[in-house]
Amino acid sequence: GAVVSQHPSWVICKSGTSVKIECRSLDFQATTMFWYRQFPKQSLMLMATSNEGSKATYEQGVEKDKFLINHASLTLSTLTVTSAHPEDSSFYICSAHGVPLGTDTQYFGPGTRLTVL
Amino acid sequence: GENVEQHPSTLSVQEGDSAVIKCTYSDSASNYFPWYKQELGKGPQLIIDIRSNVGEKKDQRIAVTLNKTAKHFSLHITETQPEDSAVYFCAAGSGYSTLTFGKGTMLLVSP
């Protein structure tokens, strides 16, 4: 139980294009999903928190117009990196918690490696 | 806000030895302390967690201890194996709030 998937696992795009990353909870309803960014050999940096049906809450310093988050259903959240630039290259990871897990435990997806050329 | 310190940043042990990773936190309201294992190129995997109403929790070779008075918690891995090699992150949080992560410990287990 408590499986979270991400798609794609890796993506390469040209500078200026937009990229969408999907995060799905496969066997539970994710009332809350989190999006993290991780640079090589560093810890996880929380970008935003999204609750199903509500606007995402972004952490300080994260541009909400650049990193668009949608949590339209209890099993799917998407992160769109708009007008991507090489500095957006990173490992993006989502996590989720919800019902019937009923706890504050976060389960993570496998991550998406984004490379912007 | 919460601040989590994690030590050491790297830890090398011989197969069969024990490994201990320590974390401290600053917010006395935190009551949930998970530990994650992250292998290269993968997402973090929850390996064990503890809540503030208990002082210790074990799961086979892995144990976590919590000292709320001192605001520190530790991960103990016994009889380490090469497949235990990974980066381990501690975290602290409360209720359904966000988690604050430590900077990670790279554990290397040599055969």
Side-chain angles (χ1 to χ4, degrees):
Chain A
V3 179
V4 177
S5 71
Q6 278 184 245
H7 179 80
S9 56
W10 60 270
V11 57
I12 301 173
C13 69
K14 293 182 178 180
S15 186
T17 60
S18 295
V19 174
K20 180 183 286 189
I21 302 170
E22 292 184 347
C23 177
R24 294 182 184 272
S25 57
L26 300 185
D27 52 4
F28 66 100
Q29 293 182 321
T31 51
T32 305
M33 286 185 166
F34 305 87
W35 285 95
Y36 294 83
R37 184 174 181 177
Q38 187 178 38
F39 292 106
K41 298 184 179 181
Q42 293 191 22
S43 188
L44 297 93
M45 182 188 80
L46 180 65
M47 299 175 66
T49 303
S50 73
N51 293 296
E52 186 265 337
S54 303
K55 288 186 177 180
T57 301
Y58 290 82
E59 295 298 301
Q60 191 173 8
V62 177
E63 299 175 62
K64 61 180 181 181
D65 294 331
K66 180 168 186 60
F67 298 100
L68 301 178
I69 293 172
N70 184 281
H71 191 167
S73 77
L74 283 171
T75 58
L76 173 65
S77 177
T78 60
L79 167 67
T80 301
V81 183
T82 62
S83 187
H85 292 283
E87 57 265 31
D88 298 324
S89 298
S90 189
F91 193 50
Y92 292 87
I93 317 172
C94 70
S95 71
H97 66 53
V99 294
L101 301 177
T103 70
D104 41 12
T105 303
Q106 287 187 33
Y107 293 92
F108 282 82
T112 296
R113 174 77 56 193
L114 170 64
T115 302
V116 184
L117 302 177
Chain B
E2 176 65 276
N3 182 50
V4 177
E5 298 282 339
Q6 183 172 346
H7 298 281
S9 56
T10 59
L11 179 58
S12 294
V13 299
Q14 291 290 319
E15 183 177 2
D17 288 349
S18 294
V20 179
I21 303 170
K22 299 181 178 182
C23 289
T24 61
Y25 62 99
S26 62
D27 189 349
S28 57
S30 290
N31 57 12
Y32 176 61
F33 309 93
W35 286 88
Y36 291 89
K37 174 184 179 182
Q38 186 177 28
E39 297 178 342
L40 190 63
K42 298 184 179 180
Q45 177 189 8
L46 179 70
I47 56 172
I48 196 167
D49 57 11
I50 191 168
R51 288 181 170 77
S52 59
N53 56 343
V54 298
E56 183 175 1
K57 184 177 179 180
K58 284 186 178 180
D59 183 3
Q60 299 183 331
R61 297 186 296 109
I62 295 172
V64 57
T65 59
L66 171 65
N67 183 326
K68 284 216 69 179
T69 302
K71 295 197 187 70
H72 66 69
F73 56 112
S74 301
L75 177 70
H76 304 252
I77 305 174
T78 59
E79 301 174 24
T80 54
Q81 301 166 4
E83 50 265 38
D84 293 329
S85 297
V87 178
Y88 291 81
F89 290 99
C90 64
S94 59
Y96 283 80
S97 71
T98 58
L99 292 175
T100 301
F101 286 83
K103 293 191 174 183
T105 296
M106 178 176 289
L107 174 64
L108 300 172
V109 182
S110 303

